[in-house]
Amino acid sequence: MAESTHWRRNLVVCVGGSFTTIVAMTMLIPYLPIFVEQLGVHERAAVLRWSGIAYSATFFAAAFTAPLWGALGDRYGRKSMLIRASLGMAVVMSCIGLAQNVWQLVGLRLLTGLLGGYSSGSTILVAAQTPKDRSAWALGVLSGGVMAGNIAGPLIGGFAPALIGVRTTFLLAGALIFLAFLATTTLLHEERATASARQPQHRLVWSELPHRGTVLVLLLTSSLLLFATMSVEPIITLFVGQLSGTDHASFAAGVIMALGAAGSIASAPRLGRLGDRIGHLGVVTGCLGVAGVALLAQAAAPNVAVLAILRLLMGMALGGLMPALTAAIRHRVPDAVVGRVLGVSVSAQYAGQVTGPLMGGYVGAHLGLRPVFVITAIVLLAVAAADLVLLRRSPARSGTSY
């Protein structure tokens, strides 16, 4: 696949569209339980249960459809997949505001996952059409846009329902995603190979992939990275409360999580540029090691201030991981199947995103809060060791181990 001469403009469109769609998707986090109550669920335990089901339904559905959309993108073009995702999400998100019961809410959240995937589709397009010597930097910029959306969305969702109402907030979210649809349709330009130059389409067969062992380890790394980083999410508020000696720790926990995200936003482009220069596997291994050590230190944090500093450092290390992993995978698969393989990578990430909080909640409930950090650190350090072995075995390309 030829690298696009419009890759810079495409990157701006993808960053803006990903930011907008992520804001719209995460706005509902603060008021989802309120909406569940408005739909007729009043018992506290049931409200929490249905809120969890409704929130995770989108990721559950997306995990199964990501490889399909990646394969269709390889065949029909990745711009068409972004148009489909943004238009579908805009319609479904608006329909959520019209839901009459909790079953309709869950069904529409499932449909959002089935039709969505704008940010993952943007990742595939940017990885495929950015010059290889700039790919990790571009993916880092895109990752920063996604992380910024994850910060801004809940903040907006914290006050929007009080101003315009819960149901109207969903309509606002749909309108934001529709803006991404318009920008994608009119501004994004995808250069595709001519019919004579296009490689024949064929079913993805792992045994036929070059570097398949390396690709498999990188896919496992993607999954375990999300597993490890998300495992702390369910217990961070409780841990902050334990350190501060107060039951009202939600604000401090929110600030600490925002610090981690801010660290990732700041470091992602810089670590991406470093990966383009010295090799992506080296950045992956180094960042995993730093994040693992930071997690071990968090397990021994004596107070909230130290925890906040360590979360910031960990966020800075994590910022370069996913762009470098995506770039490393992209450089090891043929152009004809890059969308399918990166789609599998997205599914692996969703699997880690679902299983990580389950592990963190279980360990926190049975062994205590600090062991969650220790176990998560061990996972990251073990993955770093495996990737270090992979780095030493990886052949150099033009003096650089990708």
Short mmCIF file of all heavy atoms in Angstrom, two decimals, residues 176-212:
data_model
loop_
_atom_site.label_atom_id
_atom_site.label_comp_id
_atom_site.label_asym_id
_atom_site.label_seq_id
_atom_site.Cartn_x
_atom_site.Cartn_y
_atom_site.Cartn_z
N LEU A 176 -22.07 15.57 18.28
CA LEU A 176 -20.62 15.65 18.24
C LEU A 176 -20.03 14.60 17.30
O LEU A 176 -19.12 14.89 16.52
CB LEU A 176 -20.05 15.47 19.65
CG LEU A 176 -20.22 16.63 20.62
CD1 LEU A 176 -19.71 16.25 22.00
CD2 LEU A 176 -19.48 17.87 20.11
N ILE A 177 -20.55 13.38 17.39
CA ILE A 177 -20.05 12.32 16.51
C ILE A 177 -20.41 12.63 15.06
O ILE A 177 -19.64 12.31 14.14
CB ILE A 177 -20.61 10.96 16.94
CG1 ILE A 177 -20.20 10.65 18.39
CG2 ILE A 177 -20.09 9.85 16.03
CD1 ILE A 177 -20.78 9.36 18.93
N PHE A 178 -21.56 13.26 14.83
CA PHE A 178 -21.94 13.61 13.46
C PHE A 178 -20.96 14.63 12.87
O PHE A 178 -20.69 14.61 11.66
CB PHE A 178 -23.36 14.17 13.43
CG PHE A 178 -23.91 14.35 12.04
CD1 PHE A 178 -24.29 13.26 11.29
CD2 PHE A 178 -24.03 15.63 11.49
CE1 PHE A 178 -24.79 13.42 10.00
CE2 PHE A 178 -24.52 15.80 10.21
CZ PHE A 178 -24.90 14.69 9.45
N LEU A 179 -20.40 15.50 13.71
CA LEU A 179 -19.37 16.41 13.23
C LEU A 179 -18.14 15.64 12.74
O LEU A 179 -17.53 16.01 11.72
CB LEU A 179 -18.97 17.39 14.34
CG LEU A 179 -20.02 18.42 14.76
CD1 LEU A 179 -19.48 19.28 15.91
CD2 LEU A 179 -20.39 19.32 13.58
N ALA A 180 -17.79 14.58 13.47
CA ALA A 180 -16.68 13.74 13.03
C ALA A 180 -17.00 13.08 11.70
O ALA A 180 -16.13 12.93 10.83
CB ALA A 180 -16.38 12.68 14.09
N PHE A 181 -18.26 12.67 11.52
CA PHE A 181 -18.69 12.09 10.25
C PHE A 181 -18.52 13.08 9.10
O PHE A 181 -18.00 12.74 8.02
CB PHE A 181 -20.15 11.64 10.36
CG PHE A 181 -20.84 11.41 9.05
CD1 PHE A 181 -20.56 10.30 8.28
CD2 PHE A 181 -21.77 12.33 8.58
CE1 PHE A 181 -21.19 10.10 7.06
CE2 PHE A 181 -22.41 12.14 7.36
CZ PHE A 181 -22.12 11.02 6.60
N LEU A 182 -18.94 14.32 9.31
CA LEU A 182 -18.82 15.33 8.26
C LEU A 182 -17.36 15.60 7.92
O LEU A 182 -16.99 15.70 6.74
CB LEU A 182 -19.50 16.63 8.71
CG LEU A 182 -21.03 16.59 8.85
CD1 LEU A 182 -21.54 17.93 9.37
CD2 LEU A 182 -21.70 16.24 7.53
N ALA A 183 -16.51 15.74 8.94
CA ALA A 183 -15.09 16.00 8.69
C ALA A 183 -14.44 14.83 7.96
O ALA A 183 -13.64 15.03 7.04
CB ALA A 183 -14.38 16.27 10.02
N THR A 184 -14.79 13.62 8.35
CA THR A 184 -14.21 12.44 7.70
C THR A 184 -14.64 12.35 6.24
O THR A 184 -13.83 12.05 5.35
CB THR A 184 -14.64 11.17 8.45
OG1 THR A 184 -14.23 11.26 9.82
CG2 THR A 184 -14.03 9.93 7.83
N THR A 185 -15.90 12.62 5.99
CA THR A 185 -16.43 12.52 4.63
C THR A 185 -15.82 13.56 3.70
O THR A 185 -15.49 13.25 2.54
CB THR A 185 -17.96 12.67 4.65
OG1 THR A 185 -18.52 11.69 5.52
CG2 THR A 185 -18.54 12.48 3.26
N THR A 186 -15.63 14.77 4.20
CA THR A 186 -15.23 15.87 3.31
C THR A 186 -13.74 16.15 3.30
O THR A 186 -13.22 16.65 2.29
CB THR A 186 -15.97 17.16 3.72
OG1 THR A 186 -15.66 17.46 5.10
CG2 THR A 186 -17.47 16.99 3.59
N LEU A 187 -13.03 15.85 4.38
CA LEU A 187 -11.63 16.26 4.49
C LEU A 187 -10.62 15.14 4.36
O LEU A 187 -9.48 15.37 3.94
CB LEU A 187 -11.40 16.99 5.83
CG LEU A 187 -12.23 18.25 6.06
CD1 LEU A 187 -11.94 18.82 7.44
CD2 LEU A 187 -11.93 19.29 4.99
N LEU A 188 -11.00 13.93 4.73
CA LEU A 188 -10.03 12.83 4.73
C LEU A 188 -9.86 12.29 3.31
O LEU A 188 -10.84 12.04 2.60
CB LEU A 188 -10.50 11.72 5.68
CG LEU A 188 -9.45 10.66 6.03
CD1 LEU A 188 -9.63 10.20 7.47
CD2 LEU A 188 -9.57 9.44 5.11
N HIS A 189 -8.62 12.10 2.91
CA HIS A 189 -8.32 11.60 1.57
C HIS A 189 -7.48 10.33 1.70
O HIS A 189 -6.37 10.36 2.24
CB HIS A 189 -7.56 12.64 0.75
CG HIS A 189 -7.25 12.19 -0.65
ND1 HIS A 189 -8.16 12.26 -1.67
CD2 HIS A 189 -6.12 11.66 -1.18
CE1 HIS A 189 -7.62 11.80 -2.78
NE2 HIS A 189 -6.37 11.43 -2.50
N GLU A 190 -8.01 9.23 1.21
CA GLU A 190 -7.30 7.95 1.26
C GLU A 190 -6.80 7.59 -0.13
O GLU A 190 -7.58 7.53 -1.09
CB GLU A 190 -8.21 6.83 1.78
CG GLU A 190 -7.52 5.47 1.83
CD GLU A 190 -8.46 4.35 2.26
OE1 GLU A 190 -9.68 4.57 2.24
OE2 GLU A 190 -7.96 3.27 2.60
N GLU A 191 -5.50 7.37 -0.22
CA GLU A 191 -4.92 6.92 -1.48
C GLU A 191 -4.87 5.40 -1.48
O GLU A 191 -4.24 4.79 -0.62
CB GLU A 191 -3.51 7.49 -1.66
CG GLU A 191 -3.50 8.99 -1.88
CD GLU A 191 -2.10 9.51 -2.14
OE1 GLU A 191 -1.16 8.69 -2.19
OE2 GLU A 191 -1.95 10.73 -2.29
N ARG A 192 -5.53 4.80 -2.46
CA ARG A 192 -5.57 3.34 -2.55
C ARG A 192 -4.84 2.90 -3.80
O ARG A 192 -4.76 3.62 -4.80
CB ARG A 192 -7.01 2.85 -2.57
CG ARG A 192 -7.83 3.28 -1.36
CD ARG A 192 -9.19 2.62 -1.37
NE ARG A 192 -9.06 1.18 -1.27
CZ ARG A 192 -10.04 0.32 -1.58
NH1 ARG A 192 -11.19 0.78 -2.04
NH2 ARG A 192 -9.86 -0.98 -1.45
N ALA A 193 -4.32 1.68 -3.74
CA ALA A 193 -3.60 1.14 -4.88
C ALA A 193 -4.56 0.95 -6.05
O ALA A 193 -5.75 0.69 -5.88
CB ALA A 193 -2.97 -0.20 -4.50
N THR A 194 -4.05 1.10 -7.27
CA THR A 194 -4.86 0.86 -8.45
C THR A 194 -5.22 -0.61 -8.56
O THR A 194 -4.63 -1.47 -7.91
CB THR A 194 -4.10 1.29 -9.71
OG1 THR A 194 -2.91 0.50 -9.81
CG2 THR A 194 -3.73 2.77 -9.64
N ALA A 195 -6.21 -0.89 -9.37
CA ALA A 195 -6.68 -2.27 -9.49
C ALA A 195 -5.57 -3.20 -9.94
O ALA A 195 -5.48 -4.35 -9.51
CB ALA A 195 -7.85 -2.33 -10.49
N SER A 196 -4.68 -2.70 -10.83
CA SER A 196 -3.60 -3.56 -11.33
C SER A 196 -2.53 -3.79 -10.28
O SER A 196 -1.89 -4.84 -10.26
CB SER A 196 -2.98 -2.92 -12.57
OG SER A 196 -2.46 -1.63 -12.25
N ALA A 197 -2.34 -2.80 -9.39
CA ALA A 197 -1.30 -2.92 -8.37
C ALA A 197 -1.79 -3.54 -7.09
O ALA A 197 -1.01 -3.97 -6.25
CB ALA A 197 -0.71 -1.53 -8.07
N ARG A 198 -3.12 -3.61 -6.91
CA ARG A 198 -3.68 -4.10 -5.67
C ARG A 198 -3.41 -5.58 -5.51
O ARG A 198 -3.58 -6.36 -6.43
CB ARG A 198 -5.19 -3.83 -5.63
CG ARG A 198 -5.81 -3.96 -4.25
CD ARG A 198 -7.26 -3.52 -4.32
NE ARG A 198 -7.34 -2.12 -4.74
CZ ARG A 198 -8.38 -1.61 -5.38
NH1 ARG A 198 -9.40 -2.36 -5.71
NH2 ARG A 198 -8.38 -0.33 -5.72
N GLN A 199 -2.98 -5.98 -4.33
CA GLN A 199 -2.70 -7.38 -4.08
C GLN A 199 -3.99 -8.16 -3.99
O GLN A 199 -5.00 -7.67 -3.49
CB GLN A 199 -1.90 -7.54 -2.78
CG GLN A 199 -0.57 -6.80 -2.80
CD GLN A 199 0.21 -7.04 -1.53
OE1 GLN A 199 0.19 -8.15 -0.98
NE2 GLN A 199 0.90 -6.03 -1.05
N PRO A 200 -3.98 -9.41 -4.46
CA PRO A 200 -5.20 -10.21 -4.37
C PRO A 200 -5.59 -10.46 -2.92
O PRO A 200 -4.75 -10.66 -2.07
CB PRO A 200 -4.80 -11.53 -5.07
CG PRO A 200 -3.31 -11.58 -4.98
CD PRO A 200 -2.87 -10.16 -5.06
N GLN A 201 -6.90 -10.40 -2.68
CA GLN A 201 -7.40 -10.62 -1.33
C GLN A 201 -7.44 -12.11 -1.02
O GLN A 201 -7.79 -12.92 -1.86
CB GLN A 201 -8.82 -10.03 -1.20
CG GLN A 201 -8.88 -8.53 -1.37
CD GLN A 201 -8.21 -7.79 -0.23
OE1 GLN A 201 -8.18 -8.28 0.89
NE2 GLN A 201 -7.66 -6.63 -0.53
N HIS A 202 -7.06 -12.44 0.18
CA HIS A 202 -7.11 -13.84 0.57
C HIS A 202 -7.36 -13.91 2.07
O HIS A 202 -7.17 -12.95 2.79
CB HIS A 202 -5.80 -14.55 0.22
CG HIS A 202 -4.58 -13.91 0.82
ND1 HIS A 202 -3.94 -12.83 0.24
CD2 HIS A 202 -3.91 -14.18 1.96
CE1 HIS A 202 -2.90 -12.47 1.00
NE2 HIS A 202 -2.87 -13.27 2.04
N ARG A 203 -7.79 -15.08 2.47
CA ARG A 203 -8.08 -15.28 3.88
C ARG A 203 -6.79 -15.22 4.69
O ARG A 203 -5.76 -15.73 4.27
CB ARG A 203 -8.75 -16.65 4.08
CG ARG A 203 -9.18 -16.90 5.53
CD ARG A 203 -9.82 -18.28 5.64
NE ARG A 203 -11.02 -18.35 4.82
CZ ARG A 203 -12.22 -17.95 5.21
NH1 ARG A 203 -12.38 -17.44 6.42
NH2 ARG A 203 -13.25 -18.06 4.41
N LEU A 204 -6.88 -14.55 5.86
CA LEU A 204 -5.71 -14.44 6.71
C LEU A 204 -5.37 -15.81 7.30
O LEU A 204 -6.18 -16.41 8.00
CB LEU A 204 -5.99 -13.43 7.84
CG LEU A 204 -4.90 -13.29 8.91
CD1 LEU A 204 -3.60 -12.81 8.29
CD2 LEU A 204 -5.35 -12.34 10.02
N VAL A 205 -4.18 -16.30 7.00
CA VAL A 205 -3.70 -17.57 7.53
C VAL A 205 -2.43 -17.27 8.32
O VAL A 205 -1.42 -16.82 7.75
CB VAL A 205 -3.40 -18.57 6.39
CG1 VAL A 205 -2.88 -19.87 6.98
CG2 VAL A 205 -4.65 -18.81 5.56
N TRP A 206 -2.49 -17.53 9.62
CA TRP A 206 -1.37 -17.18 10.49
C TRP A 206 -0.09 -17.87 10.07
O TRP A 206 1.00 -17.29 10.14
CB TRP A 206 -1.70 -17.53 11.94
CG TRP A 206 -2.60 -16.53 12.59
CD1 TRP A 206 -3.92 -16.65 12.82
CD2 TRP A 206 -2.23 -15.23 13.07
NE1 TRP A 206 -4.42 -15.51 13.41
CE2 TRP A 206 -3.40 -14.63 13.58
CE3 TRP A 206 -1.04 -14.51 13.10
CZ2 TRP A 206 -3.40 -13.35 14.12
CZ3 TRP A 206 -1.04 -13.24 13.64
CH2 TRP A 206 -2.21 -12.67 14.14
N SER A 207 -0.19 -19.11 9.61
CA SER A 207 1.01 -19.86 9.25
C SER A 207 1.74 -19.26 8.06
O SER A 207 2.92 -19.52 7.85
CB SER A 207 0.64 -21.32 8.95
OG SER A 207 -0.26 -21.40 7.86
N GLU A 208 1.03 -18.42 7.28
CA GLU A 208 1.64 -17.80 6.10
C GLU A 208 2.24 -16.43 6.40
O GLU A 208 2.89 -15.84 5.53
CB GLU A 208 0.59 -17.67 4.99
CG GLU A 208 0.04 -19.01 4.50
CD GLU A 208 -1.03 -18.83 3.44
OE1 GLU A 208 -1.33 -17.66 3.11
OE2 GLU A 208 -1.56 -19.84 2.96
N LEU A 209 2.01 -15.90 7.60
CA LEU A 209 2.52 -14.58 7.93
C LEU A 209 4.02 -14.62 8.19
O LEU A 209 4.51 -15.49 8.91
CB LEU A 209 1.83 -14.03 9.17
CG LEU A 209 0.45 -13.41 9.02
CD1 LEU A 209 -0.05 -12.94 10.38
CD2 LEU A 209 0.46 -12.26 8.04
N PRO A 210 4.78 -13.69 7.61
CA PRO A 210 6.17 -13.56 8.03
C PRO A 210 6.22 -13.00 9.45
O PRO A 210 5.34 -12.25 9.87
CB PRO A 210 6.74 -12.56 7.01
CG PRO A 210 5.56 -11.77 6.55
CD PRO A 210 4.39 -12.73 6.58
N HIS A 211 7.24 -13.37 10.19
CA HIS A 211 7.40 -12.89 11.57
C HIS A 211 6.18 -13.22 12.44
O HIS A 211 5.85 -12.46 13.36
CB HIS A 211 7.65 -11.37 11.60
CG HIS A 211 8.67 -10.89 10.63
ND1 HIS A 211 10.01 -11.19 10.74
CD2 HIS A 211 8.55 -10.11 9.51
CE1 HIS A 211 10.67 -10.62 9.75
NE2 HIS A 211 9.81 -9.97 8.98
N ARG A 212 5.50 -14.33 12.15
CA ARG A 212 4.24 -14.60 12.87
C ARG A 212 4.47 -14.78 14.37
O ARG A 212 3.62 -14.41 15.17
CB ARG A 212 3.54 -15.81 12.28
CG ARG A 212 4.33 -17.10 12.28
CD ARG A 212 3.56 -18.21 11.57
NE ARG A 212 4.30 -19.44 11.49
CZ ARG A 212 5.19 -19.73 10.53
NH1 ARG A 212 5.41 -18.85 9.57
NH2 ARG A 212 5.84 -20.87 10.53
#
